[in-house]
Amino acid sequence: MTGGEPPVLVRREGRAGHLVLNRPRALNALNHDMVVRIDRALTAWEHDDTVETVVISGAGERGLCAGGDIRAVHDDARDGDGTASAEFWRDEYHLNARIARYPKPYVAVMDGIVMGGGVGISAHGGVRIVTERSRIAMPETGIGFVPDVGGTYLLPRAPGELGTRLALTGEHIGAGDALLCGLADHYVPSPALPALLADLATRPVRDALADHARPAPQGELAAQRPWIDTCFAADTVEEILGRLFDHGDPAAKETAETLLGTSPTAVKVTLAAVRRARELGSLEAVLNQEYRVSCVAMGNPDFVEGVRAQVIDKDRRPRWSPRTLAEVSDADVERHFVPLGERELGLGESAL
């Protein structure tokens, strides 16, 4: 964002309405104002017959969106009472659900970095485009938090236990693996994006994609499915780690080491959230669960410490509390799922 430009650029190009996240210096990190602006534009275009397609993309060269404005949430957790963050998540999660139900083609250009909240405003869309530059992740366990914005709805729907691995480790994936895991639909080489977007001004999405989409490069996860499915099917994080270390594949051991670097509390809560999400059915039900989990997780010491270590001081040496998996009890996990009473998100399909 430069000068007096807004954090979301809203413009029309022929039959397409464009939303451009416009905080490139912050890698287009999503804040409350941006959520409100996006929702307002979607409302206007939903009832405008001259707008046939909505396109969301990011300003700058680095990516669509690095996630929510984590510094603001960190400051609220450290110095405030959490109200501002809860209100942000309330509107953000409603927006995620709205995107999933939007009645017009919603084209998400997932070029470059797409993490956390960036996944929420893209991967629920009807047309999700990745490129050779795409790096997609839900990295929350590394900052003492838990995947949200519908991430625990999307990831369990990946083949086998691929989504469980991605949720617990926060690892990045490229275009081929995003397609395999159901987080994207089409691969378009980045040099072809300008022509594709220009075509959307005059042509239906399907016709434009037919000219510009290409087969995606092979990812890495398909070849790793045997050990991923075996190891991550375990019922506890401790058992997952045991299977990873015992497997013998060097990649399995590397994954175990990654998992050991995450917050013990966050990774146990994440496994519970992913398993429960499989049984909830609808995106709305999962978002309601995520809201409860997020409001509790923000108050954990690991969240403030994780953001400090990974984002603010960048020493990459978080001091987790509790320090080990064994110290995180079932009761510690369960308290993240307790209903919030009057503070519930209360998102239902009928409201959309």
Side-chain angles (χ1 to χ4, degrees):
M1 187 167 57
T2 58
E5 288 186 342
V8 179
L9 304 179
V10 181
R11 67 171 186 266
R12 287 282 306 277
E13 292 183 9
R15 64 194 290 160
H18 285 261
L19 298 165
V20 182
L21 307 187
N22 189 37
R23 298 180 67 205
R25 290 185 178 180
L27 227 170
N28 301 318
L30 199 65
N31 60 31
H32 200 167
D33 181 33
M34 295 167 74
V35 167
V36 172
R37 289 171 183 264
I38 293 169
D39 188 69
R40 186 183 302 141
L42 292 181
T43 297
W45 289 338
E46 181 175 347
H47 303 287
D48 185 343
D49 291 340
T50 67
V51 176
E52 300 183 24
T53 302
V54 172
V55 183
I56 191 163
S57 60
E61 299 297 323
R62 298 171 62 197
L64 171 65
C65 176
D69 190 342
I70 204 67
R71 285 177 178 262
V73 180
H74 165 274
D75 292 348
D76 188 27
R78 185 190 60 188
D79 305 323
D81 62 2
T83 300
S85 297
E87 291 177 351
F88 166 49
W89 288 328
R90 180 177 294 276
D91 287 345
E92 183 184 23
Y93 297 177
H94 274 269
L95 177 62
N96 300 148
R98 180 176 199 175
I99 289 168
R101 308 284 180 192
Y102 202 64
K104 297 182 179 183
Y106 181 97
V107 180
V109 182
M110 302 170 73
D111 185 36
I113 293 174
V114 185
M115 299 192 298
V119 173
I121 59 166
S122 59
H124 297 298
V127 182
R128 305 161 301 173
I129 297 169
V130 286
T131 76
E132 78 283 356
R133 302 189 302 199
S134 296
R135 300 302 297 168
I136 300 167
M138 296 298 293
E140 286 79 6
T141 57
I143 58 168
F145 201 59
V146 178
D148 64 338
V149 297
T152 62
Y153 174 83
L154 294 166
L155 292 176
R157 284 157 176 75
E161 296 294 336
L162 297 182
T164 307
R165 172 187 171 173
L166 297 178
L168 268 57
T169 64
E171 293 172 333
H172 294 200
I173 57 173
D177 287 327
L179 290 162
L180 172 64
C181 291
L183 299 175
D185 309 298
H186 305 280
Y187 174 79
V188 176
S190 59
L193 287 177
L196 170 64
L197 297 182
D199 281 353
L200 292 177
T202 58
R203 304 175 65 192
V205 175
R206 181 180 300 178
D207 294 347
L209 281 170
D211 286 347
H212 300 290
R214 298 290 183 268
Q218 183 68 38
E220 300 176 358
L221 293 180
Q224 298 175 358
R225 273 285 304 278
W227 66 260
I228 292 174
D229 287 355
T230 297
C231 296
F232 282 90
D235 292 332
T236 68
V237 178
E238 290 91 337
E239 188 178 352
I240 290 172
L241 280 167
R243 293 185 185 186
L244 288 170
F245 279 120
D246 290 344
H247 189 274
D249 191 308
K253 183 178 180 181
E254 290 176 12
T255 299
E257 297 291 350
T258 298
L259 197 56
L260 284 174
T262 63
S263 157
T265 300
V267 77
K268 281 198 168 184
V269 175
T270 295
L271 181 61
V274 167
R275 297 288 193 252
R276 295 179 187 214
R278 286 176 170 168
E279 306 300 323
L280 289 175
S282 72
L283 170 61
E284 290 79 10
V286 174
L287 286 166
N288 287 334
Q289 173 177 275
E290 289 180 349
Y291 187 73
R292 297 171 186 167
V293 172
S294 296
C295 288
V296 176
M298 180 178 59
N300 293 339
D302 278 3
F303 174 65
V304 171
E305 171 61 12
V307 175
R308 179 207 64 76
Q310 306 291 359
V311 179
I312 298 175
D313 296 340
K314 298 182 179 179
D315 59 30
R316 308 291 191 260
R317 296 174 66 86
R319 297 180 290 273
W320 303 126
S321 178
R323 186 173 57 87
T324 67
L325 290 166
E327 295 174 90
V328 182
S329 69
D330 291 345
D332 292 331
V333 173
E334 187 61 32
R335 68 184 180 84
H336 291 76
F337 298 90
V338 175
L340 300 172
E342 293 182 357
R343 295 169 50 226
E344 283 284 295
L345 182 62
L347 185 59
E349 292 184 26
S350 61
L352 301 178

